[in-house]
Amino acid sequence: MELHPHEIKILDVLDEKKTNKEIAEESSLGLDAVNRALSWLATKGLADMKEDITEEITLRSDGILYAREGLPERKILELVGDKASIKSIQESLGKKEASIGLGWLRRKNQAKIEGDVIWIINRGVKADEKLLKLLSREEELSSSDLSPAQKKALKFLRSRQSLLEIRERKILWAVPTKEGRRVGEMGVKESISQLTPELLISGGWKDKKLRSYDVDLYVKPTYPAKRHPLSHLIDRIRMVFLSMGFKEIKGPLIESAFWNFDALFQPQDHPARDMHDTFYLKEPDHMEIEGFRRYKDDVKVTHENGGTTGSTGWGGSWSGETAQKTILRTHTTAVTCKHLTKLEKTDLPAKVFCIGKTFRNEAVDYKHLPEFYQIEGIVVDPKVNFRNLLGILREFYEKMGFRKIRFRPAYFPYTEMSVEPEIYVEERGEWMELGGSGMFRPEVVKPLLGFDCPVLAWGLGLDRVATQNLGLTDIRDLYISDLGWLRNHRVL
Ligand code: PHE
């Protein structure tokens, strides 16, 4: 049986029936600690407890005065020989005190009064006087500590006005049970909750018992700071890609149309560039583009006639002015395609990923927001093919805990072949679209990388997966600072 050090201390002193106050004194524990430990002992069947009400007695101002100077009847006894006239007593004590004193002398059978004369019969010091003295010495007495004679005396003192202050107080009685006595006598090894350097050095820990934690104990909930569930999920995704041998890359939220669209072989009249989808910046509405001089000519010919890629291009004439427009990136593919320009042949195979915010002018509803996260990645490797792409995506979703995954044919201007991965959501009994993927077309790869090479690419939505993963039904809830939800949501 596990015993708290306080319980052990109490069992040590509890050899017979005792009050909590006595136990507190003997064990040098505080009264609260004793009460608490006693109730633990009672639930463990090691002690029985009984509650009693006692009266705590203290002197009031008249009581203090009488204890010092003597009760009026004592004053009379001191004043008078065998007999005296009542008048003479009244003269020396005052009428009021004389009559109180005389009354009590009669009641206590210490004097007889005949007419105007008082005869003293008994001068003995009575129990009530003794109790008064005792009270002035002890300051406080408990009625349960009084002898029968003292109890009778208390009745006398009580019936007099403004002598005593009496307050009711609960006391706790405890007796050891048979088992409690046995445990107490055996002397339980003192258990400790902390292993100190001193105990380690002295070897004293060998005789101690280390107290185990009681994990069922109720504690007030605390809400320490923790990461937002969404940040936490992003970290998990990051770990999955890192564990698959990918390196993380980052890019700016404000991009040029060039890196967001043109470098990805998206025609300049593509509907996705419309004001409806893309947020164009007013200030600055055009920007200097990193690497523009080096890549713009290759991108231009590829758009107009395919250049050296073997493609016929989109035709028409490509405008550098349109490419320089400033936008909020609509996908993180802007980051991965720019990364192609940083790679040399000797860097291959290269595997990178990027997790970041993207922006589109969408009407807000339970599954759409104008800003959302994408999980982007590319594998640049002469040896990879389309099946590797499906394998990587499947592995990623399986590591995220999704079991049923399928791929649907899709179209993107910058990939061929293209697919959309989907996961099956059991709760809703439907397939959920997750984003796009495919193999970058030579029209993208050749101008940026400088040579043709298979590039597996994907851009997956994160927020829908997050909503699903965090047990939410509305994408907007991800960004609402609902403290209750944030506090209670378990971050696994
Ligand atoms: N960029 C596409 C989107 O935002 C997804 C995609 C990325 C598709 C890479 C193919 C290759 O929907």
Side-chain angles (χ1 to χ4, degrees):
M1 186 183 319
E2 280 294 328
L3 291 180
H4 189 274
H6 289 181
E7 294 175 286
I8 294 169
K9 272 194 179 163
I10 290 178
L11 281 182
D12 231 24
V13 300
L14 190 64
D15 42 6
E16 52 175 10
K17 187 172 172 192
K18 281 181 183 164
T19 66
N20 53 350
K21 238 171 124 186
E22 289 167 334
I23 297 171
E25 266 161 35
E26 289 176 37
S27 64
S28 49
L29 292 170
L31 198 60
D32 282 341
V34 169
N35 291 346
R36 221 172 310 132
L38 275 177
S39 67
W40 299 334
L41 286 171
T43 33
K44 291 175 187 167
L46 299 178
D48 282 330
M49 289 202 296
K50 203 172 77 101
E51 222 176 63
D52 248 350
I53 305 282
T54 95
E55 292 167 329
E56 297 294 341
I57 311 149
T58 49
L59 292 179
R60 290 172 69 177
S61 53
D62 277 3
I64 293 169
L65 193 77
Y66 285 151
R68 202 167 48 223
E69 295 178 359
L71 289 164
E73 55 268 36
R74 178 55 53 192
K75 285 188 191 162
I76 295 173
L77 288 173
E78 272 163 13
L79 209 68
V80 176
D82 285 346
K83 66 171 194 177
S85 75
I86 291 189
K87 218 166 152 207
S88 69
I89 295 172
Q90 283 174 341
E91 270 161 20
S92 36
L93 291 184
K95 262 198 168 160
K96 197 176 161 212
E97 204 170 7
S99 94
I100 295 173
L102 289 169
W104 280 101
L105 282 175
R106 260 214 327 239
R107 259 213 251 173
K108 293 192 216 167
N109 267 333
Q110 291 185 284
K112 231 171 37 191
I113 294 168
E114 281 171 6
D116 186 35
V117 180
I118 167 172
W119 299 81
I120 304 300
I121 310 168
N122 179 342
R123 294 184 176 277
V125 178
K126 295 282 175 184
D128 58 342
E129 289 179 271
K130 286 185 193 155
L131 185 59
L132 194 61
K133 282 259 154 33
L134 186 66
L135 273 166
S136 78
R137 273 203 309 275
E138 298 279 321
E139 282 183 359
E140 182 179 286
L141 283 177
S142 168
S143 65
S144 56
D145 294 337
L146 299 183
S147 67
Q150 285 173 321
K151 279 190 181 145
K152 227 162 128 193
L154 179 65
K155 257 195 206 159
F156 270 83
L157 289 181
R158 260 182 122 150
S159 66
R160 305 171 77 137
Q161 267 172 23
S162 54
L163 243 63
L164 303 181
E165 172 84 44
I166 294 182
R167 265 179 259 113
E168 281 197 345
R169 187 174 295 167
K170 266 192 218 158
I171 50 166
L172 214 57
W173 288 97
V175 275
T177 60
K178 235 170 141 189
E179 178 64 9
R181 221 179 274 274
R182 199 181 63 77
V183 173
E185 275 160 15
M186 242 167 42
V188 189
K189 255 195 208 173
E190 197 193 334
S191 68
I192 50 169
S193 55
Q194 254 172 31
L195 202 52
T196 59
E198 290 76 25
L199 279 173
L200 285 172
I201 292 165
S202 68
W205 61 272
K206 287 180 202 153
D207 307 319
K208 309 270 183 201
K209 197 169 160 326
L210 274 169
R211 199 139 52 86
S212 53
Y213 287 107
D214 182 354
V215 291
D216 293 325
L217 218 60
Y218 174 80
V219 285
K220 227 171 112 194
T222 50
Y223 300 105
K226 63 180 177 194
R227 299 194 61 128
H228 190 284
L230 188 59
S231 306
H232 190 77
L233 184 68
I234 289 174
D235 275 352
R236 245 183 87 198
I237 292 169
R238 182 170 283 132
M239 288 315 293
V240 168
F241 276 111
L242 291 172
S243 77
M244 287 166 75
F246 284 77
K247 268 211 240 138
E248 186 168 9
I249 56 169
K250 288 197 153 68
L253 301 181
I254 294 173
E255 258 305 351
S256 58
F258 182 74
W259 287 118
N260 195 84
F261 296 126
D262 297 284
L264 280 164
F265 196 54
Q266 290 194 67
Q268 291 195 322
D269 59 359
H270 193 283
R273 293 200 191 195
D274 272 3
M275 290 300 281
H276 297 292
D277 260 304
T278 308
F279 289 112
Y280 284 86
L281 264 67
K282 229 188 225 165
E283 265 315 314
D285 58 354
H286 280 71
M287 69 190 286
E288 287 298 317
I289 300 168
E290 190 194 335
F292 192 47
R293 272 230 240 138
R294 193 163 149 215
Y295 296 102
K296 75 170 194 311
D297 292 336
D298 279 345
V299 169
K300 180 181 165 72
V301 292
T302 311
H303 272 252
E304 288 175 355
N305 56 42
T308 59
T309 63
S311 160
T312 56
W314 299 112
S317 75
W318 183 85
S319 145
E321 157 87 13
T322 304
Q324 273 180 294
K325 282 191 178 164
T326 330
I327 62 166
L328 291 179
R329 71 181 179 203
T330 64
H331 52 189
T332 37
T333 322
V335 183
T336 44
C337 85
K338 205 195 283 178
H339 188 73
L340 286 180
T341 67
K342 308 214 162 90
L343 295 174
E344 305 285 338
K345 258 201 174 107
T346 48
D347 295 324
L348 307 189
K351 294 156 78 175
V352 295
F353 74 100
C354 166
I355 306 173
K357 271 265 171 81
T358 55
F359 306 86
R360 287 180 205 176
N361 193 3
E362 303 250 26
V364 175
D365 67 22
Y366 78 97
K367 51 178 180 175
H368 295 100
L369 285 176
E371 53 174 276
F372 52 97
Y373 279 98
Q374 281 195 329
I375 311 161
E376 195 81 28
I378 50 170
V379 176
V380 190
D381 182 351
K383 291 208 213 71
V384 288
N385 58 35
F386 188 66
R387 288 162 69 128
N388 297 126
L389 173 64
L390 304 189
I392 288 170
L393 292 174
R394 188 177 291 280
E395 186 174 341
F396 167 67
Y397 283 116
E398 277 174 2
K399 285 195 172 184
M400 289 306 294
F402 297 104
R403 288 282 156 264
K404 268 167 102 175
I405 299 137
R406 75 177 182 190
F407 299 99
R408 282 203 337 202
Y411 170 79
F412 301 98
Y414 34 95
T415 50
E416 180 64 35
M417 309 181 345
S418 309
V419 283
E420 276 173 2
E422 290 186 339
I423 52 168
Y424 189 71
V425 182
E426 297 287 348
E427 292 85 350
R428 282 203 238 138
E430 60 185 35
W431 289 92
M432 184 159 82
E433 235 180 73
L434 292 171
S437 64
M439 315 241 338
F440 274 160
R441 296 168 68 130
E443 291 96 322
V444 176
V445 179
K446 245 186 132 183
L448 303 181
L449 192 61
F451 54 93
D452 200 10
C453 177
V455 177
L456 315 179
W458 56 89
L460 312 168
L462 181 138
D463 302 65
R464 279 194 212 170
V465 176
T467 320
Q468 186 60 34
N469 201 286
L470 303 177
L472 300 172
T473 49
D474 192 318
I475 206 164
R476 289 169 287 198
D477 289 341
L478 285 176
Y479 301 97
I480 289 174
S481 301
D482 177 347
L483 268 188
W485 183 75
L486 290 172
R487 279 177 171 167
N488 293 314
H489 186 82
R490 286 181 68 181
V491 184
L492 298 174

